[in-house]
Amino acid sequence: MEIHDIDEKLLDYLFETLPPDEQEKVRAWITASKENERYFYKFQLSHRYLLWGSKLGILEKDYSYLRRRIKKRNLVHVFSRVAVVLLVLIGGSLFFWFNVETVNKFEEQNEFCGIKPGKNQAILYMASGETVGLSDSLWQYQEEDGTMLKIEKGRGLVYVADSTNNEKELKNRMVVPRGGEYLLELDDGTKVWLNSASEIIYPTRFSGRERVVQVKGEAYFDVAKRDSSAFIVRLGKLDVKVYGTQFNVNTHDDKIIEAVLVEGNVSVLTAKKEIQLLPNQKAVYDIENGSVSLETVDVTPYVAWKDGNFVFKNQSMEEIMTKLSLWYDVDVFYANESVKNVRLSGDMIRYKDIEDLLYFFEQISDVKFQISGRTIVVK
C-alpha cells in the first residue's frame, strides 16, 4: 500500500470504524516489523493530540480535512512541521505547546515497549484440585456437588447450584493476577468484580444463616439481598457485614484495609466493635492498632475501575503508580522520595496503553518517566 493508504487505514483503526476482518489486517501490518510498530506509535501520538485538542475545544474535530492532508502527505510528516495542540489547563495559567520536539524526546527516552492494559483473566482452583485458566472463552464445568460453572458473555463466571443437593459446601478459589480483572457471579446472584492481584475464596453454593467469602486485594460487590442470610466479607482482621448493597473493599496496602459504601447498608466488624457505614462513607481499618476511622468521600475514584476508568483526585504519584503497576503489570522505581508526593488529578480510560497516561502526566507536572521493558522509573 501507498503511505497515505496506510495512514487512512490506521486512522479508521483508531476510530474503530473498520470491520473485524480489516482490523485484523491492520494489526497484522503493525506487528509485521519493528519499523511498522514504530510508525504506528508515532501515528498514535499525533492522533492523541487531535483528541485532546478537540476535547478541550481548542481544535475542531474536522477529520475530513485531516484525510485531505493525508492524501498529500502522511500524517506523521504533517505533524512533524507544526505544533498540534495548545493545551490550556483549566483553573491555572500554564500553557504547553505539543510539537514534534516533545514527541521525539519522549520517544528517545522510552523505546517502543507496547505495555498493554490488563484484560479478563483469572485462575480457578476447584474443590476437585483441578486448576483452570479463565478468560472470555466459553467454558462449562460441573463441580462435585452438582453445581454448574459456566462462562457467559457479559456475566463472567456464573455459578448455578443444584438445589436438590444437601451435601456439605465445597469451596472454590479464584485468583486474578497482576494485569487482570474478572467478574464472578455466585449462586445467590451476588456479583463480584475482582481487580488485579486479588483473590476470593467462596462456597460453590450458599447454605445456612450466613454467606461468607474471604477476599485479598480489591473487589467490588453487588450483593443479592436475602433477609434470612447476612453476607459477610472476611478481610483478614476485618469483616464487612452486608444485607444487600454495593461497596468496594481493598487490602492492597499492608497497613490499612478500606471499605467504601456506594449504596445500601453495611457495617464493619473488628474484634472490639461493630460500626455502621452510610452511603458515600469510607471506613479505614488500621491493622497495627485495630482502630477504625470513618470519612465521607466521593466514591468515584474508589469504584471507577469496575466500569473501566481511572479517576484520580488529588492523589499522590505513589498512590497512582501503585494502581498502574498492578493493572499494567510493571515495576515502578522512584529516582527520589520527593517525587512520590507529587499530587495529580485525572479521569482516563483504563484500557489505553500506559504511554497515554504517562505522557499526559508529563505534560501537567514536572514528573518524567523512563520506560525500559516492563520497568518504569519516575523522576
Side-chain angles (χ1 to χ4, degrees):
M1 289 188 292
E2 297 293 332
I3 193 68
H4 62 77
D5 293 328
I6 292 172
D7 285 345
E8 284 223 64
K9 288 290 185 185
L10 292 179
L11 194 62
D12 289 331
Y13 178 76
L14 291 171
F15 290 152
E16 299 180 350
T17 58
L18 289 175
D21 60 328
E22 290 294 318
Q23 292 179 30
E24 287 300 322
K25 289 179 182 178
V26 173
R27 278 193 285 266
W29 181 88
I30 293 170
T31 57
S33 69
K34 281 292 182 184
E35 183 181 354
N36 289 358
E37 286 184 341
R38 290 178 183 277
Y39 186 86
F40 179 62
Y41 179 57
K42 290 181 180 180
F43 194 98
Q44 279 184 304
L45 286 178
S46 300
H47 180 251
R48 287 170 204 157
Y49 299 154
L50 279 175
L51 292 183
W52 290 340
S54 63
K55 186 174 182 179
L56 291 167
I58 298 166
L59 295 178
E60 290 187 12
K61 200 169 184 178
D62 186 357
Y63 293 110
S64 60
Y65 168 77
L66 180 58
R67 289 181 189 281
R68 292 196 299 272
R69 293 299 302 271
I70 283 176
K71 291 184 181 299
K72 295 180 179 180
R73 193 174 194 141
N74 73 72
L75 185 63
V76 173
H77 288 165
V78 169
F79 285 105
S80 69
R81 290 184 174 273
V82 294
V84 184
V85 176
L86 174 62
L87 173 59
V88 182
L89 298 183
I90 305 301
S93 59
L94 296 178
F95 297 85
F96 296 97
W97 280 104
F98 287 173
N99 56 30
V100 69
E101 291 181 5
T102 58
V103 177
N104 291 340
K105 185 176 180 182
F106 188 78
E107 195 174 40
E108 285 171 8
Q109 293 176 345
N110 305 289
E111 282 297 311
F112 180 84
C113 55
I115 297 175
K116 301 299 180 184
K119 59 183 180 181
N120 280 337
Q121 59 175 327
I123 303 170
L124 180 65
Y125 298 88
M126 293 181 289
S128 63
E130 188 176 350
T131 301
V132 177
L134 304 177
S135 62
D136 288 327
S137 302
L138 297 180
W139 175 78
Q140 188 164 305
Y141 181 87
Q142 187 171 28
E143 259 289 13
E144 294 176 345
D145 63 354
T147 299
M148 293 300 302
L149 289 64
K150 50 186 177 179
I151 295 176
E152 296 186 1
K153 188 175 182 179
R155 295 178 67 190
L157 181 62
V158 179
Y159 281 69
V160 181
D162 180 359
S163 59
T164 64
N165 194 321
N166 295 316
E167 295 179 3
K168 184 180 179 180
E169 287 181 349
L170 299 179
K171 293 289 183 70
N172 281 182
R173 175 171 166 247
M174 179 181 288
V175 177
V176 176
R178 287 165 61 103
E181 63 181 356
Y182 215 80
L183 173 59
L184 168 67
E185 186 172 320
L186 303 174
D187 89 292
D188 65 341
T190 293
K191 294 179 181 178
V192 187
W193 287 260
L194 277 181
N195 207 347
S196 303
S198 303
E199 66 176 81
I200 182 171
I201 299 174
Y202 53 93
T204 57
R205 59 183 181 85
F206 290 112
S207 61
R209 298 180 62 182
E210 292 183 339
R211 297 169 285 165
V212 181
V213 301
Q214 297 170 262
V215 169
K216 291 181 182 178
E218 185 169 23
Y220 183 95
F221 284 84
D222 184 354
V223 177
K225 188 174 182 179
R226 277 189 186 177
D227 293 332
S228 60
S229 177
F231 195 98
I232 296 176
V233 181
R234 296 226 157 109
L235 307 162
K237 295 182 179 180
L238 184 74
D239 285 355
V240 178
K241 191 173 183 180
V242 191
Y243 290 94
T245 186
Q246 297 184 36
F247 62 99
N248 196 81
V249 295
N250 194 336
T251 72
H252 275 142
D253 191 318
D254 57 6
K255 295 181 180 179
I256 63 170
I257 299 172
E258 288 184 346
V260 177
L261 179 60
V262 177
E263 63 179 54
N265 181 20
V266 307
S267 59
V268 293
L269 290 79
T270 69
K272 299 178 181 179
K273 56 184 176 181
E274 178 175 352
I275 301 173
Q276 193 82 22
L277 266 70
L278 298 174
N280 300 313
Q281 279 192 329
K282 176 178 72 172
V284 179
Y285 174 77
D286 188 305
I287 294 174
E288 184 176 346
N289 61 32
S291 65
V292 176
S293 60
L294 294 183
E295 179 185 354
T296 299
V297 296
D298 175 1
V299 300
T300 306
Y302 299 94
V303 304
W305 67 268
K306 188 263 294 184
D307 296 317
N309 296 300
F310 283 118
V311 176
F312 306 118
K313 291 198 174 181
N314 194 34
Q315 287 185 265
S316 71
M317 180 57 63
E318 185 175 25
E319 291 174 316
I320 292 171
M321 293 309 296
T322 296
K323 291 182 179 181
L324 296 186
S325 70
L326 296 177
W327 180 236
Y328 289 95
D329 189 16
V330 294
D331 296 317
V332 179
F333 294 92
Y334 299 90
N336 54 68
E337 289 297 308
S338 63
V339 75
K340 292 181 178 180
N341 299 319
V342 173
R343 307 193 79 83
L344 296 171
S345 298
D347 184 348
M348 289 154 282
I349 297 173
R350 184 170 151 94
Y351 302 106
K352 293 291 186 181
D353 292 354
I354 199 168
E355 292 94 332
D356 280 340
L357 306 186
L358 301 187
Y359 189 82
F360 178 74
F361 289 154
E362 285 195 348
Q363 306 313 310
I364 63 172
S365 73
D366 292 330
V367 173
K368 300 297 177 185
F369 300 93
Q370 181 78 44
I371 305 173
S372 177
R374 303 199 72 82
T375 300
I376 299 173
V377 178
V378 190
K379 52 190 177 180

